[in-house]
Amino acid sequence: MADELTPETPDETEEPIKQRKNGLYQGVSDELAENMKSGWADTELHDLQPIAQAQHTADRRAALSARFPGERLVIPAGNLKTRSNDTEYSFRASTEYAYLTGDQTEDGVLVLEPTKSGHKATIYLLPRSDRENGEFWLDGQGELWVGRRHSLTEAEQLLGIPAKDVRELTAALKEATGPVRVVRGHDAAIETALTDKVTAEHDEELRVFLSEARLVKDAFEIAELQKACDSTARGFEDVVKVLDKAEATSERYIEGTFFLRARVEGNDVGYGSICAAGPHATTLHWVRNDGAVRSGELLLLDAGVETNELYTADVTRTLPINGRYTDLQRKIYDAVYEAQEAGIAAVKPGAAYRDFHDAAQRVLAEKLVEWGLVEGPVDRVLELGLQRRWTLHGTGHMLGMDVHDCAAARTEAYVDTTLEPGMCLTVEPGLYFQADDLTVPEEYRGIGVRIEDDILVTEDGNRNLSDSLPRRADEVEAWMAALKG
């Protein structure tokens, strides 16, 4: 990785490289500085077409405007975060900002200024790097270091929003009058500029509204979620094809294989992939992915591709590493499959959100009683939650731009609501028998099974967006054999 410009003489190491002298960085000759100002072609892009979701983002901003009339609304994208010393993590724009603009640029800020008839939206962005003062090649975030960014004019054409220089925004916000709300937690400088103008309670109302606005997906979002699921299915196929190599290395081979698909067909993985082999499958969020992959054991793979527009899939399959379930593995797997079938069947318009969880939990409780692992009757088990020793988690959650989407929504708008077309959620029951659990027969210990699919609520029921991946045990075995064959 290239270093930024370094001082030319030992004396200059006493001062930070970013300290300017006469408008230029130290260690740069006047002749070089002058040379770098000229001889560059005009690269402005013309006649750009709006991004695919431009009309959808306009509709979303209109709904936001209607909810908070007469108030200035500030939604930041966020800033780069340091990973180590002078290197940064890959940037991922805040969900609220990307949802309302379609932009994914660091330091960007959307501001809705109140007008008599609603709001005027302006997006504040970093403009092209200045070549006159040397910023484009001397600054670590200049375009010769990190790549070209859109000009403000280009951004306006793409996003359908008037664009201004974000470096002017904090001063303007300090001078602003009237009620203001900001989405917190993404841009400290913006929050500091608004310190005396906002309250935590009012800002939380803005965050909650934007979370609840995403409960029902529009057509663009549904298409993106389908795209994410389709890419994820191909990523699972990739993994099955290299299980022999994973056996020779570790779970990291599985993680890397799926990540390649996510980067080739999307933006990234939507969350840390869970590549849990053997007893690691009983740890719900096993993301260390450094364990052995052994023939005869199960692989619980919970992973999702995030599309370039930041919508993620969230899919889990529990696979026999050698391609065949043992009798006990199949018995546990079939129980989870039956629970998932019951859960999916409960997803439909007008149903209570909790119905799919209750349906899946009842099946799992019935199996645990049948196997003699817990004393019935089933209604008693469910009332006391005794099945949770081995089921542990809820059976699903909303899905969208965040893997656990709409997390700031009020209880009455989310878990206590009724389902309606356009909602998308996961159905993911599981059974997990810990390796040190002395309350179950020894042969159960270390087996974990989860099956998860992404379910869209439709007008007449539901659609499984991830149904291109097999779920029934015999279908899984046949699928794996075909891929390895």
Side-chain angles (χ1 to χ4, degrees), residues 80-90:
L80 291 170
K81 291 181 172 59
T82 299
R83 182 183 185 275
S84 173
N85 188 26
D86 59 349
T87 61
E88 292 84 20
Y89 287 103
S90 296

Side-chain angles (χ1 to χ4, degrees), residues 376-387:
V378 170
D379 285 341
R380 168 186 171 272
V381 173
L382 292 170
E383 181 181 356
L384 299 176
L386 301 180
Q387 81 286 358

Side-chain angles (χ1 to χ4, degrees), residues 214-278:
R214 302 198 307 276
L215 284 167
V216 176
K217 271 57 180 179
D218 59 37
F220 177 85
E221 295 178 291
I222 292 169
E224 285 295 307
L225 287 167
Q226 184 65 71
K227 185 189 303 182
C229 287
D230 292 344
S231 290
T232 297
R234 288 188 282 273
F236 276 63
E237 292 175 355
D238 296 339
V239 167
V240 170
K241 292 175 182 177
V242 300
L243 280 177
D244 57 335
K245 294 184 174 65
E247 286 188 61
T249 52
S250 76
E251 295 162 338
R252 290 189 178 183
Y253 204 97
I254 295 167
E255 179 182 3
T257 298
F258 187 84
F259 180 70
L260 177 61
R261 178 66 64 174
R263 286 294 285 162
V264 167
E265 294 194 2
N267 177 60
D268 206 329
V269 290
Y271 53 95
S273 298
I274 298 169
C275 307

Side-chain angles (χ1 to χ4, degrees), residues 381-414:
V381 173
L382 292 170
E383 181 181 356
L384 299 176
L386 301 180
Q387 81 286 358
R388 293 191 61 186
R389 181 181 179 103
W390 304 285
T391 65
L392 295 173
H393 56 80
T395 308
H397 52 80
M398 291 295 182
L399 183 69
M401 297 184 80
D402 292 336
V403 65
H404 297 143
D405 208 29
C406 314
R410 296 164 298 161
T411 299
E412 60 267 32
Y414 191 157

Side-chain angles (χ1 to χ4, degrees), residues 166-447:
V166 71
R167 293 171 295 190
E168 303 169 357
L169 181 57
T170 53
L173 290 177
K174 289 177 182 178
E175 300 299 320
T177 59
V180 184
R181 298 179 193 250
V182 62
V183 176
R184 300 190 179 205
H186 302 301
D187 194 318
I190 294 297
E191 291 178 34
T192 298
L194 294 170
T195 297
D196 299 326
K197 305 176 189 298
V198 295
T199 66
E201 180 182 2
H202 285 176
D203 291 347
E204 181 63 9
E205 289 175 355
L206 172 60
R207 189 172 79 100
V208 167
F209 174 82
L210 289 173
S211 193
E212 293 179 3
R214 302 198 307 276
L215 284 167
V216 176
K217 271 57 180 179
D218 59 37
F220 177 85
E221 295 178 291
I222 292 169
E224 285 295 307
L225 287 167
Q226 184 65 71
K227 185 189 303 182
C229 287
D230 292 344
S231 290
T232 297
R234 288 188 282 273
F236 276 63
E237 292 175 355
D238 296 339
V239 167
V240 170
K241 292 175 182 177
V242 300
L243 280 177
D244 57 335
K245 294 184 174 65
E247 286 188 61
T249 52
S250 76
E251 295 162 338
R252 290 189 178 183
Y253 204 97
I254 295 167
E255 179 182 3
T257 298
F258 187 84
F259 180 70
L260 177 61
R261 178 66 64 174
R263 286 294 285 162
V264 167
E265 294 194 2
N267 177 60
D268 206 329
V269 290
Y271 53 95
S273 298
I274 298 169
C275 307
H280 288 162
T282 66
T283 300
L284 297 188
H285 289 164
W286 177 260
V287 293
R288 299 178 198 173
N289 298 336
D290 58 1
V293 179
R294 305 181 187 91
S295 179
E297 296 184 334
L298 297 176
L299 166 68
L300 190 157
L301 178 58
D302 183 336
V305 171
E306 178 186 75
T307 69
N308 289 321
E309 306 306 332
L310 307 185
Y311 288 83
T312 187
D314 182 7
V315 178
T316 306
R317 291 293 184 269
T318 305
L319 311 173
I321 292 168
N322 65 8
R324 301 288 295 181
Y325 295 102
T326 67
D327 290 344
L328 179 59
Q329 289 169 352
R330 180 183 284 266
K331 182 176 85 166
I332 296 170
Y333 185 94
D334 286 348
V336 175
Y337 171 78
E338 188 177 328
Q340 194 201 27
E341 283 284 274
I344 292 174
V347 176
K348 53 190 174 184
Y353 173 82
R354 297 176 188 266
D355 284 355
F356 77 95
H357 169 75
D358 293 341
Q361 289 289 298
R362 174 166 289 275
V363 172
L364 295 179
E366 289 170 351
K367 297 298 181 181
L368 293 167
V369 171
E370 177 186 323
W371 299 340
L373 301 184
V374 64
E375 182 181 347
V378 170
D379 285 341
R380 168 186 171 272
V381 173
L382 292 170
E383 181 181 356
L384 299 176
L386 301 180
Q387 81 286 358
R388 293 191 61 186
R389 181 181 179 103
W390 304 285
T391 65
L392 295 173
H393 56 80
T395 308
H397 52 80
M398 291 295 182
L399 183 69
M401 297 184 80
D402 292 336
V403 65
H404 297 143
D405 208 29
C406 314
R410 296 164 298 161
T411 299
E412 60 267 32
Y414 191 157
V415 296
D416 285 344
T417 193
T418 55
L419 298 178
E420 57 182 289
M423 290 182 170
C424 187
L425 51 93
T426 67
V427 178
E428 50 177 312
L431 283 173
Y432 314 91
F433 299 102
Q434 304 301 319
D436 58 351
D437 188 349
L438 301 182
T439 70
V440 300
E442 185 175 0
E443 62 267 25
Y444 283 70
R445 299 172 198 166
I447 296 178

